[in-house]
Amino acid sequence: MKANNIPLLQVKDLCVEYHIPAGVFRAVDKLSFSLEKGKSLGIVGESGCGKTTAMLALLRLLPESGRIVEGEVLLEVEGEQKDILRLSPSELQEFRWNKIAMVFQGAMNALNPVRTVGSQIREALIFHNSVPKNKVEEEIDLLLDLVGVSPAYKNRYPHQYSGGMRQRAMIAMALACRPDVLIADEPTTALDMMVQAQILDLLKKLQHELDLAVVMVTHDLGAVADLCDDVLVMYAGMMAEMAPVETIFEKPVHPYTRRLISAFPDIDNPKADLASISGYPPALNNLPKGCRFEPRCELSTDKCILEIPDVIEVSKGHYCRCPISLSDYKVAK
């Protein structure tokens, strides 16, 4: 029997390094979060903050230079937690796509241009033994229909699909084995506004119909507000703040989160000036000794320069890595 208090996905103190000729770089540092079945988590932050690296680590799909040096990735299966990072190759093959799947960044350009879309979905179904061979064609039709692509298009090549249709086809491939967790890495990149909205609506529809847990990596705060239940803000490989989506937008605590939100256009006040964040994120080979946001932070103190702040629980489900900003928050409350 499934224990009610076991999250479907739980990441604990995940650390990832890249070992390259120039040195060792810590790309993800002590990242922790959990996700319930049927819920969605948005992961946001500037380019290079470790979002995609963290997601590739969950599936153990890091490039050859990547190393998972610490942490656990626990997936609930029939009431028990399995650590994906400690599975054998054969066990890992069973988990990938069957339990947790990913729509990769730039996925709409990742289809093989010389093979039909249907044949590529067919390969995923056969490789993972997800349906009997005599049911494969029926399942391809069902998957394409599920994501809003006519099954009549399955024998067409990727160049005969629009950008939105290719993205839908990639989502169909990720769902081929009916996973419990779907990771969508920048699912609306390079799509026009109308198609972006359609893809987000599709993800919401699939999440509801299939009871999926969704992790969405994005730069688009509007997409996060529309789709996600909770938000994780990353900066320079670390969690800066995590909270329910309403809290992040209405009561952000960390200075970085505040600046991110103030830099995003407000549809209720379209003439308002947009804020900016001075400076640049730190290079991974030259990280600050203390708080990684300190060089760009208007609240910086001597303590921030010397010490990496601990994660503080602001309220239930709301965590922040900034005691200075938290003091202001409590006064404001």
Side-chain angles (χ1 to χ4, degrees):
M1 175 183 284
K2 177 179 176 179
N4 292 329
N5 61 344
I6 298 179
L8 177 60
L9 177 66
Q10 191 169 17
V11 178
K12 295 182 178 181
D13 294 327
L14 181 65
C15 298
V16 180
E17 294 178 346
Y18 285 110
H19 294 243
I20 60 177
V24 178
F25 303 93
R26 179 65 65 95
V28 178
D29 198 354
K30 297 288 185 180
L31 182 66
S32 298
F33 65 86
S34 62
L35 183 63
E36 301 289 339
K37 187 174 180 62
K39 297 294 185 180
S40 55
L41 172 71
I43 302 182
V44 301
E46 292 169 279
S47 296
C49 73
K51 305 184 299 294
T52 295
T53 291
M55 296 303 99
L56 292 174
L58 301 192
L59 286 163
R60 287 169 54 183
L61 289 174
L62 290 167
E64 188 175 347
S65 59
R67 305 282 192 279
I68 300 170
V69 295
E70 189 178 334
E72 296 177 304
V73 177
L74 305 173
L75 190 64
E76 185 272 324
V77 181
E78 297 180 354
E80 296 183 5
Q81 289 185 312
K82 303 284 188 180
D83 188 351
I84 296 174
L85 304 186
R86 287 159 180 80
L87 297 177
S88 67
S90 60
E91 290 173 323
L92 183 60
Q93 181 176 321
E94 174 65 24
F95 266 69
R96 283 186 191 146
W97 263 244
N98 287 314
K99 300 296 181 183
I100 180 169
M102 185 169 180
V103 180
F104 297 96
Q105 189 172 356
M108 72 174 188
N109 296 316
L111 290 164
N112 188 328
V114 298
R115 294 180 56 194
T116 65
V117 170
S119 72
Q120 295 179 64
I121 298 175
R122 184 180 302 112
E123 181 180 46
L125 291 168
I126 293 173
F127 182 80
H128 292 282
N129 298 312
S130 58
V131 294
K133 289 186 178 180
N134 63 340
K135 297 288 185 179
V136 167
E137 295 306 313
E138 181 182 330
E139 186 68 11
I140 293 171
D141 292 350
L142 190 154
L143 285 165
L144 288 173
D145 185 63
L146 185 66
V147 299
V149 175
S150 170
Y153 283 59
K154 69 180 178 181
N155 292 322
R156 296 191 181 187
Y157 292 88
H159 73 271
Q160 296 173 302
Y161 278 41
S162 67
M165 288 174 66
R166 291 199 298 270
Q167 188 68 296
R168 289 171 183 267
M170 292 303 300
I171 294 172
M173 290 180 68
L175 296 176
C177 302
R178 297 296 192 270
D180 296 318
V181 181
L182 177 67
I183 299 170
D185 190 0
E186 300 285 3
T188 58
T189 296
L191 299 173
D192 63 47
M193 293 297 293
M194 289 296 293
V195 179
Q196 286 184 30
Q198 292 170 6
I199 295 299
L200 291 175
D201 286 343
L202 172 64
L203 288 172
K204 285 194 292 185
K205 171 177 170 285
L206 294 173
Q207 181 187 2
H208 175 72
E209 291 183 358
L210 304 178
D211 202 19
L212 276 172
V214 176
V215 181
M216 185 170 73
V217 174
T218 183
H219 291 89
D220 187 347
L221 291 175
V224 168
D226 189 38
L227 181 69
C228 299
D229 298 299
D230 298 286
V231 185
L232 168 61
V233 181
M234 289 186 68
Y235 185 80
M238 302 186 87
M239 186 269 282
E241 187 166 1
M242 182 167 60
V245 64
E246 297 86 357
T247 303
I248 284 290
F249 282 95
E250 295 173 8
K251 298 178 180 179
V253 174
H254 198 284
Y256 180 59
T257 308
R258 292 177 179 178
R259 300 300 283 182
L260 276 182
I261 293 172
S262 61
F264 193 74
D266 184 353
I267 60 173
D268 295 323
N269 189 13
K271 294 184 179 181
D273 292 335
L274 299 181
S276 62
I277 306 174
S278 60
Y280 299 93
L284 295 179
N285 62 341
N286 189 28
L287 292 170
K289 180 179 179 181
C291 174
R292 295 183 181 178
F293 188 60
E294 181 277 326
R296 306 171 73 187
C297 182
E298 68 273 15
L299 301 179
S300 172
T301 67
D302 291 342
K303 187 175 182 180
C304 301
I305 297 173
L306 298 173
E307 298 179 10
I308 296 177
D310 293 327
V311 175
I312 300 168
E313 187 170 11
V314 180
S315 58
K316 186 175 181 181
H318 187 182
Y319 302 90
C320 178
R321 196 185 290 274
C322 183
I324 307 301
S325 185
L326 183 57
S327 298
D328 293 345
Y329 174 81
K330 287 181 176 178
V331 170
K333 285 181 70 178

